[in-house]
Amino acid sequence: DFMFNYKDSFGDFHLSAALGGNRMYQKFQNVTQTAENLQEPDVFLLVNVDGRLLSSNTRREKGVNSLYGYVNLSWRDMLFLDLTARNDWSSTLPVNNNSYFYPSVSASVLLNELIDFGAARNVVNLVKLRGSFAQVGHDTQPYRTTDYLSSSDFAGNYQIPGTMNNANLRPEIVSSWEVGLDLRMFRNRLGVDLAYYNNTSKDLIVNMPVSSASGVTKRFANAGTIRNYGWELQINGTLIKTRDVQWKAYVNWSKNRNEVVDLGEGVDSWIVASYSSHAYMTAYKGGSLSAMYGLGYKRAPEGAYIVEKDGSITNVSGQIIVDENGYPQYSDELQYIGECTPDWKGGFGTSVKWKG
């Protein structure tokens, strides 16, 4: 690691900056030997193996070189501007795609220092507006860009892994922006923090299923663009404040949504998670990552009816179809069941201090 720092002031302006670099190297090696049976029970020695001795050897190396810097600028401690930049070179990505740059910029203003909101009467103590934009890059695990053979349980034999690597992988890039308001009132006894955020993840490195006719079942690929956005709100206050007693409380609330903007060329769907053959979290373009699909019940079509014994007609539209034993019948195709994530989340808490 190395870093150069600089600080200075120019009238009402204050400046701080830095330029640095880092070289990271990781090495992992593991040897495992497993005995299926033992000649003497509870004697855990390799010479006590009865039959085959299974051996496996895992070795991984990874290196990342980085250059980074930042500039922080403020004016009269009421206007703030922060800039950062970083570039990484990762050994886990192809040579032509192993460099990725990600910057950020954030700004904030203390409006209560520019406009009188009643600070003298302790009505409004702080009004802070903030906004930011940032990008973050990600590489992948080692050895996903070149196909190789792996050893099998039989000595001197090798096999083709079930996942195909990709020599054209690109780094993942997450772009996000956020705006927010920080409000403090009544001698700082009431606080409100409100924020809206929007994150977009592009070129996600995923293990995509492929046709087994290719000789493998999965393939590493850059596939998809996912968007996350939502609101966050927190309110905290001091309800009672005396020399001996202090009672505080807070409430928080958040609402997050995600959208599958794109799944990549030639990809119609992506199974995020599954449970047996009954339920799947499946991503479709225009849908969400948390959408649940499964085998629902067969239902009578719109306009269906039955004729009762007395000749009367009963509308059964949408009712579950059962077999001759009275058991519901499953649908032949997957149906949308609902979302796995809540519509919103919230919480509250309180604390009381006495002579503390």
Side-chain angles (χ1 to χ4, degrees):
D1 288 293
F2 72 89
M3 178 174 285
F4 300 99
N5 295 283
Y6 176 79
K7 291 184 178 181
D8 206 344
S9 297
F10 308 93
D12 294 330
F13 291 91
H14 298 281
L15 173 69
S16 63
L19 177 65
N22 172 268
R23 179 181 175 87
M24 185 274 292
Y25 174 75
Q26 296 176 337
K27 183 177 182 180
F28 173 83
Q29 188 168 1
N30 179 57
V31 178
T32 302
Q33 293 184 311
T34 306
E36 295 180 328
N37 298 289
L38 298 175
Q39 296 179 14
E40 295 292 334
D42 300 325
V43 179
F44 300 104
L45 297 174
L46 295 179
V47 294
N48 191 40
V49 173
D50 184 11
R52 291 192 307 165
L53 180 64
L54 304 180
S55 299
S56 65
N57 185 8
T58 302
R59 178 179 177 182
R60 293 194 299 268
E61 295 183 60
K62 176 181 177 179
V64 178
N65 296 329
S66 307
L67 288 176
Y68 49 85
Y70 69 82
V71 175
N72 298 331
L73 183 65
S74 66
W75 179 73
R76 291 187 177 180
D77 291 331
M78 64 179 69
L79 293 176
F80 303 88
L81 177 65
D82 300 323
L83 303 172
T84 70
R86 181 183 179 109
N87 200 101
D88 287 347
W89 293 264
S90 174
S91 66
T92 65
L93 294 169
V95 175
N96 57 329
N97 289 327
N98 69 349
S99 174
Y100 45 101
F101 174 77
Y102 43 105
S104 74
V105 56
S106 63
S108 61
V109 55
L110 300 181
L111 288 181
N112 57 290
E113 297 291 340
L114 300 174
I115 304 173
D116 184 9
F117 291 100
R121 300 183 302 275
N122 280 307
V123 177
V124 178
N125 305 105
L126 174 70
V127 182
K128 180 180 179 180
L129 293 178
R130 65 182 187 273
S132 64
F133 171 81
Q135 284 188 332
V136 178
H138 298 285
D139 56 6
T140 185
Q141 296 297 318
Y143 315 128
R144 289 184 174 179
T145 60
T146 304
D147 290 319
Y148 54 87
L149 299 178
S150 61
S151 60
S152 68
D153 293 338
F154 297 95
N157 288 273
Y158 296 87
Q159 61 187 4
I160 299 175
T163 300
M164 181 184 296
N165 292 319
N166 189 340
N168 297 309
L169 285 180
R170 300 182 302 276
E172 296 180 0
I173 298 296
V174 180
S175 302
S176 61
W177 59 268
E178 178 179 322
V179 292
L181 168 67
D182 192 357
L183 182 64
R184 298 290 183 269
M185 302 177 65
F186 310 122
R187 299 179 185 270
N188 294 312
R189 294 184 60 170
L190 175 64
V192 179
D193 195 332
L194 176 65
Y196 176 82
Y197 62 89
N198 190 312
N199 305 329
T200 301
S201 302
K202 184 179 179 181
D203 287 337
L204 298 174
I205 299 177
V206 295
N207 203 358
M208 298 294 297
V210 296
S211 172
S212 57
S214 63
V216 295
T217 57
K218 294 183 178 180
R219 179 176 184 268
F220 287 111
N222 292 100
T225 300
I226 308 298
R227 175 178 173 239
N228 279 278
Y229 57 97
W231 293 88
E232 293 180 344
L233 173 65
Q234 178 167 317
I235 301 175
N236 57 76
T238 303
L239 306 181
I240 297 177
K241 187 176 183 180
T242 65
R243 187 175 64 178
D244 296 330
V245 179
Q246 183 172 273
W247 179 18
K248 292 184 177 182
Y250 72 87
V251 176
N252 57 54
W253 173 88
S254 65
K255 182 177 183 179
N256 178 74
R257 292 291 179 269
N258 65 77
E259 177 188 0
V260 181
V261 180
D262 184 37
L263 284 173
E265 184 178 354
V267 180
D268 298 323
S269 64
W270 175 26
I271 298 178
V272 180
S274 64
Y275 175 76
S276 183
S277 60
H278 300 287
Y280 301 87
M281 284 178 60
T282 308
Y284 293 95
K285 184 176 180 179
S288 72
L289 284 177
S290 54
M292 178 69 74
Y293 293 83
L295 295 177
Y297 294 128
K298 288 184 178 180
R299 295 182 179 273
E302 187 68 27
Y305 64 89
I306 60 174
V307 180
E308 306 288 353
K309 293 181 178 180
D310 59 1
S312 61
I313 296 176
T314 302
N315 186 355
V316 295
S317 300
Q319 294 191 21
I320 297 175
I321 299 175
V322 298
D323 58 19
E324 60 274 10
N325 298 316
Y327 294 107
Q329 295 186 355
Y330 287 111
S331 59
D332 298 324
E333 298 180 353
L334 294 178
Q335 299 178 1
Y336 174 73
I337 298 175
E339 294 292 324
C340 299
T341 55
D343 291 336
W344 56 272
K345 294 189 294 184
F348 67 91
T350 186
S351 65
V352 177
K353 291 183 178 181
W354 179 63
K355 291 187 177 181

